[in-house]
Amino acid sequence: VQLVESGGGLVQAGGSLRLSCTASGDVLPGSIMGWYRQAPGKQRELVADILRDGDTKYSDSVKGRFTISRDNAKNTVTLQMNNLKPEDTSVYYCNVYQIFNFWGQGTQVTVSS
């Protein structure tokens, strides 16, 4: 499975960004698609993930601000990020978990105060 991300960039606090990720290869029905982030000097952390049936999970820090969605026909996962805060600044990674973890190359999100 190969993952290609798009989106990200620089935005002011309170603004919005949209991240998209397309998976190529064999994405299995039981796969979990999601987004993680890693700030300098910190561990990679889960932002949100979504099952094929649409069941979602969010970190407490983004609940109510971020929305994850998935298009099973196109093997895409999208993260809509609203009301961004400076502490959301990080490299965001697309992830597909099916037996193994597959990762995108990462995309930088910078939120200025």
Side-chain angles (χ1 to χ4, degrees):
V1 175
Q2 291 185 322
L3 305 176
V4 177
E5 300 152 345
S6 61
L10 173 64
V11 66
Q12 288 188 330
S16 297
L17 285 173
R18 185 180 181 91
L19 304 181
S20 294
C21 173
T22 300
S24 60
D26 293 328
V27 180
L28 302 177
S31 65
I32 303 172
M33 301 185 80
W35 291 92
Y36 287 69
R37 66 186 181 188
Q38 187 169 18
K42 294 188 176 182
Q43 288 190 333
R44 192 171 296 188
E45 62 175 2
L46 173 70
V47 176
D49 65 25
I50 183 168
L51 302 180
R52 189 175 182 86
D53 64 3
D55 190 20
T56 59
K57 180 170 62 181
Y58 294 91
S59 70
D60 288 342
S61 62
V62 308
K63 280 181 183 177
R65 300 187 297 122
F66 291 10
T67 302
I68 190 169
S69 59
R70 175 173 177 166
D71 186 329
N72 294 320
K74 297 180 179 179
N75 285 336
T76 59
V77 60
T78 300
L79 185 69
Q80 177 66 43
M81 304 184 293
N82 297 328
N83 190 22
L84 283 159
K85 303 176 180 180
E87 51 264 42
D88 294 318
T89 295
S90 193
V91 178
Y92 284 70
Y93 295 90
C94 178
N95 172 267
V96 169
Y97 176 73
Q98 52 184 45
I99 305 175
F100 301 106
N101 268 312
F102 298 90
W103 298 97
Q105 78 280 6
T107 184
Q108 177 71 45
V109 171
T110 303
V111 184
S112 62
S113 58

